[in-house]
Amino acid sequence: MLSVVEEVSAVREAVARARKSDKTIAFVPTMGALHAGHSKLVECARGECGFVVVSIFVNPTQFGPSEDFARYPRALSDDCLVCERAKADLVFTPRVETIYPHTSAGAYVEVPALSATLEGASRPGHFRGVATVVLKLLEIVRPDRLYLGEKDYQQLLVVRRMVEEFQVSVEVRSVPTVREPDGLAMSSRNRYLDADQRQAARVLSRALAQARESVRSGEKDADRIRQVLRAAIQCERLATLDYAEVADAATLEPLKELGGGSRAVALLAVRIGGTRLIDNAVLTE
Ligand code: PAF
């Protein structure tokens, strides 16, 4: 039976009870507006752990002043149904004052090594907000395993690095991106798209597929692969490119050439109307 709690003490008590019965604790942090990508995270957690906690918290500190914090979709009862179907045990829905008891600027965690580029460059302060809230939530839940999606690739690296740097005792598990049948990566922000924009949004996965195809055909020059990505995005009239990068999959340093021992990842951020979407694909193993 799914429980939904707001208080830190209630989470700690439920987790303590689960631990007493020797259950492994899984944690899936979310901002709600749950979709099949989130279900997959919860299902993976369920498959591997005895007790699954999902947090639903629209974290104000990871939104810039002109971003969509106020209109970010909030749908708690639908979200609880998704959690129930995916067999979560506990949903934690803290209030803002619980997570930020003094002010939202009370204390921050930064991971500068991985936060300056890409999403971090386009959204200053974003990863500081993400790292801060994830550390706070980890401290409340104290799980054995943390489940994050690969769609937010840079976020995954930032959180992994934070966990390493602070020696947080949790194993970070990443779960592949879930896609719509036409390739669009599942995202809560897909809800903002009207019908034409929804069609146009297919351009992200199409561009990544073309980049992968050029690598399969032997292309190794990272600039030429960036050009493949840019050209694909430019073909879509409703799309405006924010960035198209080919980077080292571990450090996010821009690559000159593929091969040479490091994995390469292509990362895209594209605006479709007022909606900013991101996606990525690993190009070489
Ligand atoms: O990926 C998200 O939904 C958020 O960035 C996270 C990890 C829940 C932190 O607010």
Side-chain angles (χ1 to χ4, degrees), residues 27-32 38 41 55 57-59 62-63 72 126-127 129-131 133-134 137 146-149 152 155 159 188:
F27 178 45
V28 183
T30 81
M31 297 207 299
H38 295 110
L41 290 173
S55 64
F57 179 65
V58 185
N59 173 36
Q62 69 188 74
F63 290 81
Y72 197 85
H126 171 67
F127 288 120
V130 170
V133 79
V134 172
L137 292 167
L146 169 68
Y147 290 80
L148 293 171
D152 294 305
Q155 165 172 287
V159 171
S188 303

